[in-house]
Amino acid sequence: MDGYVPNTANSPDLMGQDTTALRTALRWAPTDQLTADIFVNYQEDDSTGTQFTSGFFPVNGKVDPFGATAMNINPDQVRSKLGNDRELFYITSNIEYDINDAWSLTSLTDYRNLTSKEAWDSDGAAFNLLQFFQGQKANTFSQELRLNYDAGGKLTAFFGGNYFTIDNKAELRFSTDEAYAQSLFAPSLAAGAGLSLAEAQTYLALGGVPGGENFGSFDTPLQYSALAALLLNQLVPLYGEHLEQSLSTNGRDTYDLFGDVTYAVTDRLKLTAGLRYTKEDISASTIGHALKTNPYLLGLGGLNGVTLQPTLLLSADTLDKMASASESTDGAFTWRLNAAYRVSDNVNTWVAYGRGRRPEVLSAEGADYNLIDAETLDNVEAGVFGRFFDDRLQMTSSVYYGQYKDFQTTRFDPINGVFITENSGNATQYGFEFDGQALVNDYVRLLATYAYTHSEYDDKDDNGNPLQFAGNSFRLSPEQSFSLAADITVPMGEHGDISIVPSYIWKSKHFFEDDNGFNYAADGNGGFVRTPETYPDGTVVQEYQKAYGVANLRVGFDAASERWGAYVLGENIFDEEYLIDVGNTGGAFGLHTIIRGKPQMVKAGVYVKF
């Protein structure tokens, strides 16, 4: 798929994708008791990059997330174009052995390998300001052994253990033109010298610094170091190819023991209880290098011309010095309890309670690592499934309530130049879900779904301390959503069938980040003061999407022989304009970028079976 976001800079149009994938499966059954299935997958992806249209820098004279963008790439970003070059390989085996009529043994083995090289432009402008490259190599392996019991009676069960390991190595590169970086950080640089931005501009101009009045400008950025002039009285040219590198590793070994038992109390009532014990060993390391620094700082080699420090973005604490940490976490239990009651042959109900868990994380902060607590979710759910009118009407609905503890959020840390995980405290989520379908006649089927979701951070943590995100909604979590569709068949006799499938998906307003578009600062009394996030000119960032709906239409033909068919698919047929993200890496620097949803698009395809 070619890119559908025009790019006016030196890289192809954005949101393009080229994928080649191969898959094979092999079954071996040497005896009636033993079967083995092996799946091998290989995939290559080459993309032209995710759209990061600037919400601040105009393109063709205006800021328009639904128009062209201007995202550039430079030689220090390794790739010749923006985007991700990714290679995936994995092999999975599923071996089943029937020990006797009641017991069987299952072995699941999985190995995966990933390599990727990704370049992106975080500022969304056609100059070098926030240019990143990340290369990754990761390997995972897991082995599970599960003993299954089913003697045809009231009791069924399975027990087993699992081992999972991941080893990830990553290189992160940050490159910039110091003149544009100085414009971005100008207010804080001036404040560091005890001046306002206007005072610094006047001081530089009166001091004879060429273009001193442009300090802080992106249109005509000052080409000399403001701090060198203000603090050292030196005229130092800025460097257009500043480059920093961070090399990091992450490892995790996970050990699980689990068991699950189901007992049929009656023909209609079944009770299930499951328990899992998990223990993990985690490790991480990072080291930074300044690959290119300002060559004009005479007598002060190895520094950048913007902040006069060894690094501009990455932590100076890890510069040419390895920081590492490892932890063996305490074991933890998760569980589930479920009761299913069949009211009749056509109606089934259930009540379930379970605890889920997201494991601990080592999160970098300079030369140190913080162990972020595991996130837990205690959830209660009740639901009903029914089939009515000779199965012409089917529906499933459920209500749920969940309590999160130590909710984990991830953000880009511009101080250390890494993505970090933080403990955001407690949160509550509850809601209602419904999906149903009705067979109007032999040729028309109607389908519908609806969801109400209330997901919000609590006001305080378990110790009564105010939470930073108190009252905020979860990111990408609309309070209400629904979908409608029809599956219409038009018989064509001995030739085959035509199918017509219109659909409509609607979502209410939702936020793109857990901070809901605000910056937070301690108020001195244990609480927080929040102020709207703004662009450098003071314009407030609209970090949310208003309610919107998207309509699609698929028309296909399937031959009566079932040997071939063809289809035409129209996506977003009314060309609804909506956003799928605001903020991204640039948001950490006050230069939020925007990703639009797919525009009106027509696809066509054919299939042949042989």
Side-chain angles (χ1 to χ4, degrees):
M1 182 177 68
D2 289 336
Y4 55 80
V5 177
N7 188 23
T8 62
N10 63 347
S11 193
D13 294 344
L14 285 306
M15 307 301 277
Q17 184 72 29
D18 184 3
T19 295
T20 301
L22 301 172
R23 180 177 187 269
T24 186
L26 174 68
R27 164 160 284 198
W28 181 50
T31 69
D32 293 339
Q33 292 177 286
L34 178 64
T35 60
D37 294 291
I38 298 177
F39 308 93
V40 182
N41 293 266
Y42 176 78
Q43 180 173 324
E44 287 184 357
D45 296 315
D46 183 14
S47 72
T48 62
T50 302
Q51 169 203 11
F52 292 126
T53 295
S54 175
F56 176 70
F57 297 112
V59 178
N60 297 330
K62 61 180 179 179
V63 174
D64 181 7
F66 303 103
T69 188
M71 292 173 57
N72 71 301
I73 190 168
N74 65 46
D76 287 326
Q77 290 177 267
V78 181
R79 283 171 53 88
S80 61
K81 64 181 180 182
L82 298 172
N84 191 6
D85 181 10
R86 186 176 66 169
E87 186 175 303
L88 298 165
F89 171 79
Y90 59 93
I91 181 170
T92 304
S93 74
N94 181 9
I95 301 173
E96 301 274 356
Y97 179 68
D98 293 331
I99 301 172
N100 53 41
D101 291 341
W103 293 93
S104 65
L105 181 67
T106 301
S107 171
L108 291 171
T109 308
D110 184 83
Y111 170 79
R112 305 193 177 209
N113 174 268
L114 161 72
T115 60
S116 70
K117 296 178 180 179
E118 182 177 14
W120 70 97
D121 176 1
S122 292
D123 53 77
F127 44 74
N128 296 320
L129 174 53
L130 300 174
Q131 310 295 126
F132 289 91
F133 165 81
Q134 186 173 56
Q136 288 195 84
K137 291 184 178 181
N139 296 287
T140 70
F141 173 80
S142 68
Q143 174 62 56
E144 179 175 307
L145 290 175
R146 187 171 68 240
L147 193 61
N148 313 287
Y149 175 78
D150 185 354
K154 292 187 174 185
L155 182 70
T156 60
F158 60 84
F159 311 93
N162 179 275
Y163 169 72
F164 171 82
T165 183
I166 182 171
D167 177 40
N168 182 76
K169 296 179 174 65
E171 174 195 11
L172 179 69
R173 286 187 169 207
F174 164 66
S175 58
T176 190
D177 182 329
E178 288 186 340
Y180 287 103
Q182 179 173 260
S183 294
L184 177 62
F185 299 119
S188 59
L189 294 172
L195 304 170
S196 68
L197 180 59
E199 290 172 338
Q201 292 170 339
T202 301
Y203 188 98
L204 292 169
L206 294 177
V209 178
E213 67 278 5
N214 295 326
F215 180 47
S217 169
F218 290 102
D219 295 327
T220 54
L222 175 63
Q223 297 296 315
Y224 295 90
S225 171
L227 280 192
L230 293 171
L231 302 181
L232 305 178
N233 199 29
Q234 292 184 15
L235 190 62
V236 178
L238 293 173
Y239 184 44
E241 299 180 14
H242 179 84
L243 178 62
E244 301 174 6
Q245 176 196 59
S246 174
L247 302 174
S248 61
T249 66
N250 285 280
R252 183 180 296 269
D253 292 315
T254 304
Y255 308 88
D256 288 288
L257 293 174
F258 55 84
D260 197 277
V261 176
T262 298
Y263 184 74
V265 180
T266 69
D267 291 342
R268 295 186 179 274
L269 177 62
K270 288 185 177 181
L271 303 178
T272 298
L275 185 66
R276 178 181 291 264
Y277 175 78
T278 302
K279 188 174 183 355
E280 296 180 299
D281 296 325
I282 53 179
S283 61
S285 71
T286 184
I287 185 171
H289 302 291
L291 301 183
K292 294 182 181 180
T293 56
N294 193 307
Y296 309 114
L297 282 164
L298 301 179
L300 297 172
L303 305 180
N304 72 77
V306 179
T307 63
L308 305 183
Q309 298 295 321
T311 59
L312 182 60
L313 180 63
L314 302 181
S315 171
D317 295 333
T318 61
L319 186 63
D320 300 320
K321 186 167 51 180
M322 180 73 74
S324 62
S326 61
E327 290 283 346
S328 182
T329 65
D330 297 332
F333 288 97
T334 53
W335 55 79
R336 70 171 185 143
L337 299 170
N338 185 76
Y341 181 73
R342 184 174 292 276
V343 179
S344 67
D345 292 342
N346 295 321
V347 178
N348 190 39
T349 61
W350 70 89
V351 177
Y353 165 66
R355 166 168 288 188
R357 179 177 177 271
R358 182 181 295 177
E360 294 91 344
V361 176
L362 284 172
S363 188
E365 184 177 345
D368 299 320
Y369 280 88
N370 298 320
L371 182 65
I372 306 302
D373 292 334
E375 173 189 313
T376 59
L377 168 63
D378 289 307
N379 191 73
V380 179
E381 180 179 353
V384 58
F385 168 77
R387 297 180 299 191
F388 310 97
F389 308 112
D390 296 326
D391 294 345
R392 301 181 73 85
L393 176 65
Q394 295 185 17
M395 54 154 285
T396 303
S397 63
S398 63
V399 293
Y400 61 89
Y401 177 88
Q403 182 67 56
Y404 289 91
K405 183 178 179 181
D406 300 321
F407 192 89
Q408 294 179 3
T409 55
T410 302
R411 66 176 178 87
F412 186 80
D413 177 12
I415 304 300
N416 296 292
V418 295
F419 290 93
I420 64 172
T421 300
E422 295 179 316
N423 185 337
S424 296
N426 297 348
T428 301
Q429 179 173 277
Y430 56 84
F432 168 78
E433 294 179 343
F434 168 87
D435 70 79
Q437 54 180 295
L439 186 63
V440 179
N441 55 46
D442 292 343
Y443 306 110
V444 178
R445 183 184 298 271
L446 303 179
L447 304 99
T449 68
Y450 171 78
Y452 169 80
T453 304
H454 176 91
S455 54
E456 189 176 279
Y457 286 90
D458 295 347
D459 291 336
K460 298 180 180 180
D461 63 17
D462 287 345
N463 298 318
N465 301 312
L467 294 179
Q468 177 175 286
F469 293 163
N472 284 10
S473 299
F474 289 1
R475 68 185 300 268
L476 303 177
S477 182
E479 188 171 61
Q480 299 190 68
S481 61
F482 70 84
S483 68
L484 301 171
D487 187 353
I488 304 168
T489 300
V490 180
M492 300 297 291
E494 62 183 12
H495 301 293
D497 295 325
I498 293 177
S499 62
I500 304 172
V501 183
S503 62
Y504 182 76
I505 301 170
W506 183 89
K507 296 180 179 180
S508 65
K509 176 183 175 180
H510 52 275
F511 294 93
F512 294 117
E513 299 293 344
D514 290 318
D515 60 29
N516 285 191
F518 291 93
N519 292 315
Y520 297 82
D523 64 3
N525 298 313
F528 297 90
V529 175
R530 66 180 194 173
T531 55
E533 294 181 3
T534 62
Y535 293 107
D537 63 357
T539 302
V540 175
V541 179
Q542 301 296 317
E543 205 173 85
Y544 60 84
Q545 169 60 49
K546 295 184 293 184
Y548 72 96
V550 172
N552 307 299
L553 178 64
R554 184 186 189 278
V555 179
F557 173 78
D558 298 291
S561 65
E562 299 183 352
R563 295 286 299 275
W564 68 277
Y567 72 90
V568 176
L569 171 64
E571 294 184 335
N572 193 5
I573 58 177
F574 299 120
D575 204 20
E576 176 78 1
E577 293 185 340
Y578 65 98
L579 307 178
I580 60 175
D581 207 356
V582 174
N584 309 298
T585 307
F589 301 88
L591 293 175
H592 296 65
T593 55
I594 305 169
I595 305 174
R596 66 161 299 172
K598 281 187 178 182
Q600 183 185 74
M601 189 174 296
V602 177
K603 300 179 180 180
V606 297
Y607 72 85
V608 178
K609 295 181 180 180
F610 55 89

